[in-house]
Amino acid sequence: MAREVWADGQAYEAYVGRWSRRVAEEFVRWLAVPPGRRWLDVGCGTGALTSTVLAQTAPAQVVGVDASHGFVTHARALVDDRRAAFQVGDARALPMPDRSVDVVVSGLALNFVPDPARAAAEFARVLRPGGVAAGYVWDYAEGMAMMRHFWDAAIRLDPALADLDEARRFPICAPEPLRALWAEAGLTAVSVRPVEVPTRFADFDEYWAPFLGGQGAAPAYLMAQPERHRAALRDELAARVPTEPDGSIRLTARAWAVRGTAAVKA
């Protein structure tokens, strides 16, 4: 398997960052957190979720943490707001004191953490009593259509690739595993819901180009292949994706979102 790369913020934005921003907007509205709160964005990536929190909730502060130096650098350059700070860190050992934040969020990152249960326990640790922990992940099995079509086409050409499919690699990206993850971390009032946004591409070239950026599982696999195989996969995918009479491609991107509350001790 080609090594996944998470360092080029611009390539990530072209691939899924633009769609994750739309999901972030709906996600933050769902949380309905009052203004003046202290937020922690774990796996902040290029700053999409942090930017949305700043724009929609009037927070006192948002700290973004990500394991990728490249993404943290990109986020610092992109988000120019005195309330925001970014640092390199591990979701399994957050650089925050116990009970120090009001809200912990994580967008499209939990499935990439080697030990998601440890990360969820860290979310609970840094939350003040009554604070909110929430996150969202792509529905790789069905709802993230741009990736689903890619892997279906790739596996048709080479069935041995099935184990690379994110739907198989990340069983956590479904309602019940997310609910269990939060509950086992000691969070209460746990709920899960879908968040779905439209993804429109002007033509097949616009759909295909982001896969050439090398960021993420599908692009990393694609760019590790010889040109002949890339061309065959492109043709297979072009024949598979639904295309409108004007040449545009209209798909949907669905994420599963989970939220819970830190227990308030009597």
Side-chain angles (χ1 to χ4, degrees):
M1 174 181 173
R3 185 176 67 87
E4 292 177 20
V5 177
W6 302 103
D8 187 333
Q10 187 172 353
Y12 175 82
E13 286 292 317
Y15 179 43
V16 290
R18 52 183 167 165
W19 313 124
S20 70
R21 290 177 183 276
R22 296 186 182 183
V23 173
E25 292 169 3
E26 178 60 29
F27 171 75
V28 171
R29 279 194 291 269
W30 175 52
L31 297 184
V33 173
R37 301 303 193 263
R38 291 170 56 86
W39 293 64
L40 175 63
D41 180 2
V42 182
C44 63
T46 57
L49 182 50
T50 293
S51 296
T52 304
V53 170
L54 291 166
Q56 295 185 193
T57 73
Q61 182 185 47
V62 187
V63 175
V65 175
D66 199 281
S68 167
H69 289 260
F71 280 2
V72 167
T73 298
H74 186 93
R76 286 172 177 160
L78 185 70
V79 182
D80 183 15
D81 191 304
R82 61 178 178 78
R83 299 168 296 171
F86 298 95
Q87 58 184 288
V88 175
D90 189 334
R92 299 165 297 178
L94 293 171
M96 307 291 286
D98 293 358
R99 302 174 185 170
S100 59
V101 297
D102 302 298
V103 189
V104 181
V105 289
S106 182
L108 308 178
L110 273 170
N111 49 294
F112 296 109
V113 177
D115 187 348
R118 186 172 169 185
E122 279 289 275
F123 295 178
R125 177 185 69 79
V126 302
L127 270 180
R128 292 181 176 134
V132 173
Y136 55 96
V137 291
W138 289 126
D139 177 7
Y140 293 108
E142 298 178 3
M144 190 19 161
M146 65 174 289
M147 296 181 191
R148 184 69 268 140
H149 285 298
F150 178 93
W151 286 117
D152 287 348
I155 292 167
R156 185 177 186 279
L157 293 178
D158 183 0
L161 295 177
D163 286 343
L164 298 187
D165 183 349
E166 286 126 318
R168 180 174 293 192
R169 289 174 56 204
F170 302 133
I172 192 179
C173 296
E176 289 313 308
L178 285 173
R179 191 186 307 277
L181 183 67
W182 251 232
E184 289 165 8
L187 297 161
T188 63
V190 178
S191 61
V192 179
R193 60 157 288 189
V195 179
E196 190 168 288
V197 298
T199 56
R200 181 187 182 277
F201 304 88
D203 52 29
F204 183 79
D205 287 340
E206 185 183 0
Y207 171 80
W208 175 251
F211 288 102
L212 303 176
Q215 299 294 296
Y221 162 75
L222 180 67
M223 298 313 293
Q225 304 309 305
E227 179 58 37
R228 180 177 176 181
H229 185 79
R230 289 203 298 268
L233 180 50
R234 186 186 191 281
D235 291 344
E236 175 68 24
L237 194 50
R240 178 180 293 273
V241 294
T243 304
E244 301 292 324
D246 64 357
S248 66
I249 297 170
R250 300 172 186 267
L251 303 173
T252 57
R254 183 170 67 209
W256 290 111
V258 59
R259 65 174 292 168
T261 304
V264 178
K265 294 182 180 180

